[in-house]
């Protein structure tokens, strides 16, 4: 009896029922008297092969620590577990993304970039024009009959005698313009215009006969005038830019001009004037100063096919094309000197223009 009592006293207390993953392995008993500190995030369920302890009422159930199984006990503080919160971040700009990947471009991207436009930059204009021209050489002639220019280049009868004023000759030219700014409803620029007109007639005989033809049938005398003008230019393009079905661009030009002139004899050389000793007194060439004014209206041809006009702009850099007409006033007489050659005229011209 005494041995049986000692055996019962020495026997260990019955252990908790546990489920072990590995045979022969028993986890140490949990200390229910202390509560471990609560870690942050919620842990995942135990993987295969780990020990799982049967949970009883009032014991810790694993993370999240601080929550117990069963009813709330007196003195315990229950705090709800809230998920993490995130502040909405702004979408990074393109310059920030590029700057992050390539710091060398950061400073260049900070600079203000010009907005993209549908057309290329417009800086220049080119005109090709044609009209008629008659230099007013006889403007200051006060003698009898026709003046010196009309006697040579005027209308003649069958004997070569002058019976009318000269007819206007073909007059053509080119104009180039540098457009400085477009801030006043259209471009303001500086332009250069080159033009030329020629006239010819059979040379009068030095000693004409009393009867018969009074001119040389072999020699032809030619007169050429070539005005060159430097002008300030303004074109009103606001209406044509804003309204497709009003493609009209009025413009004005004004500036100084210089007119070259020369006359050639039948052999194609500059005509000369000789005295009695056969010495050259004067030559048939010179130049005069003056001014020139052009007033015109342009028809922008882009409205006929806007798509083709934009494609042409991208390919060639030509912004707009025009058909235009203008009135030109040219006064070339050294600003009114009485003893000066007068080469001025007022005339109408038509042409084609392009801005690029």
């Amino acid at each position: 009896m005494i041995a049986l009592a000692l055996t019962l006293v020495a026997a260990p207390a019955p252990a908790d029922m546990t489920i072990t993953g590995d045979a022969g392995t028993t986890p140490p008993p949990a200390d229910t008297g202390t509560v471990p500190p609560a870690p942050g995030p919620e842990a995942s369920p135990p993987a295969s092969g780990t020990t799982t302890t049967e949970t009883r009422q009032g014991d810790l159930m694993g993370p999240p620590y601080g929550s117990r199984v069963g009813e709330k006990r007196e003195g315990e503080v229950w705090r709800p577990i809230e998920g993490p919160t995130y502040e909405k971040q702004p979408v990074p700009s393109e310059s920030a993304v590029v700057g992050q990947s390539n710091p060398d471009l950061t400073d260049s991207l900070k600079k203000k970039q010009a907005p993209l436009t549908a057309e290329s930059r417009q800086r220049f204009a080119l005109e090709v024009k044609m009209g008629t021209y008659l230099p007013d050489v006889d403007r200051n002639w006060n003698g009898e009959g026709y003046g010196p220019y009309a006697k040579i280049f005027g209308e003649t009868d069958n004997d070569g005698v002058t019976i009318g004023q000269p007819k206007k000759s073909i007059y053509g030219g080119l104009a180039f313009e540098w457009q400085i700014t477009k801030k006043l409803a259209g471009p303001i620029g500086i332009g250069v215009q080159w033009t030329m007109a020629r006239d010819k007639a059979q040379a009068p005989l030095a000693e004409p006969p009393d009867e018969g033809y009074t001119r040389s049938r072999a020699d032809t005398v030619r007169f050429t005038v070539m005005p060159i003008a430097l002008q300030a230019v303004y074109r009103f393009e606001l209406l044509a830019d804003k309204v497709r079905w009003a493609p009209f661009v009025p413009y004005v030009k004004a500036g100084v001009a210089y007119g070259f002139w020369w006359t050639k004899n039948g052999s194609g050389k500059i005509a000369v004037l000789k005295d009695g000793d056969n010495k050259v007194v004067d030559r048939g060439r010179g130049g005069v100063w003056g001014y020139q004014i052009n007033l015109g209206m342009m028809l922008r041809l882009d409205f006929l096919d806007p798509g083709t006009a934009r494609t042409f702009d991208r390919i060639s850099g030509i912004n707009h094309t025009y058909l235009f007409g203008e009135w030109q006033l040219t006064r070339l007489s050294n600003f009114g000197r009485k003893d000066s050659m007068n080469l001025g005229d007022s005339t109408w011209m038509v042409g084609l223009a392009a801005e690029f």
Side-chain angles (χ1 to χ4, degrees):
M1 295 297 291
I2 297 174
L4 180 60
L6 293 174
T7 301
L8 294 173
V9 172
D16 297 338
M17 289 182 73
T18 60
I19 301 173
T20 61
D22 298 332
T25 306
T26 304
D31 185 3
T32 59
T34 61
V35 179
E42 184 176 347
S44 60
S48 175
T50 59
T51 304
T52 304
T53 305
E54 184 181 32
T55 305
R56 295 174 297 182
Q57 185 173 353
D59 291 341
L60 293 174
M61 194 181 69
Y65 295 94
S67 61
R68 294 179 179 274
V69 178
E71 298 180 358
K72 178 180 178 181
R73 296 182 180 182
E74 184 179 357
E76 291 182 340
V77 179
W78 286 25
R79 297 182 178 88
I81 300 174
E82 299 179 357
T85 58
Y86 301 94
E87 295 182 0
K88 186 176 181 181
Q89 299 294 329
V91 178
S93 62
E94 182 181 357
S95 60
V97 174
V98 178
Q100 182 71 19
S101 60
N102 190 352
D104 296 337
L105 298 179
T106 303
D107 294 337
S108 62
L109 290 172
K110 290 180 180 178
K111 298 179 180 179
K112 184 178 180 181
Q113 299 179 354
L116 297 177
T117 58
E119 61 182 28
S120 61
R121 184 179 179 184
Q122 178 178 316
R123 295 171 294 176
F124 306 103
L126 180 65
E127 299 175 0
V128 180
K129 59 183 69 178
M130 183 175 292
T132 57
Y133 196 84
L134 177 62
D136 201 2
V137 179
D138 296 335
R139 182 182 182 88
N140 298 326
W141 172 255
N142 296 322
E144 296 181 358
Y146 296 100
Y149 188 84
K151 287 180 179 180
I152 299 176
F153 298 100
E155 294 187 34
T156 60
D157 58 13
N158 294 333
D159 293 332
V161 179
T162 302
I163 59 174
Q165 293 291 339
K167 294 181 178 180
K168 291 193 173 187
S169 58
I170 300 299
Y171 181 64
L174 298 173
F176 179 80
E177 174 188 336
W178 172 42
Q179 297 177 347
I180 301 174
T181 181
K182 292 187 65 176
K183 294 184 178 180
L184 295 178
I188 300 175
I190 297 176
V192 177
Q193 177 172 302
W194 169 89
T195 48
M196 178 180 287
R198 288 181 174 180
D199 203 350
K200 66 178 182 178
Q202 290 180 328
L205 296 174
E207 297 179 358
D210 296 336
E211 295 182 0
Y213 201 64
T214 60
R215 294 177 180 257
S216 171
R217 299 185 184 275
D219 295 335
T220 302
V221 60
R222 292 175 174 85
F223 182 83
T224 304
V225 56
M226 187 175 67
I228 298 177
L230 178 64
Q231 299 172 298
V233 186
Y234 173 70
R235 304 178 189 272
F236 181 77
E237 294 186 353
L238 180 62
L239 185 63
D241 291 340
K242 300 297 184 181
V243 183
R244 176 184 172 185
W245 295 107
F248 301 103
V249 178
Y251 66 92
V252 59
K253 302 181 182 181
V256 296
Y258 186 83
F260 296 92
W261 68 272
W262 61 89
T263 181
K264 293 183 178 181
N265 54 27
S267 61
K269 297 181 180 180
I270 298 295
V272 295
L273 178 65
K274 297 181 180 180
D275 59 9
D277 297 332
N278 204 26
K279 291 183 179 180
V280 176
V281 177
D282 198 1
R283 297 182 181 273
R285 63 185 179 187
V288 287
W289 285 96
Y291 62 89
Q292 181 172 294
I293 299 174
N294 297 70
L295 301 175
M297 178 67 73
M298 309 176 75
L299 174 64
R300 183 178 289 181
L301 302 179
D302 300 3
F303 78 98
L304 298 176
D305 192 343
T308 302
R310 287 191 294 268
T311 302
F312 189 60
D313 182 13
R314 289 192 296 268
I315 294 175
S316 63
I318 297 178
N319 302 87
H320 309 290
T321 54
Y322 299 90
L323 178 66
F324 70 90
E326 68 177 18
W327 174 73
Q328 174 179 292
L329 174 65
T330 307
R331 287 290 179 260
L332 297 172
S333 60
N334 286 325
F335 300 102
R337 288 180 55 181
K338 292 183 178 181
D339 58 346
S340 171
M341 171 79 80
N342 195 326
L343 301 177
D345 189 23
S346 61
T347 185
W348 290 93
M349 304 184 73
V350 295
L352 294 173
E355 290 179 321
F356 56 96

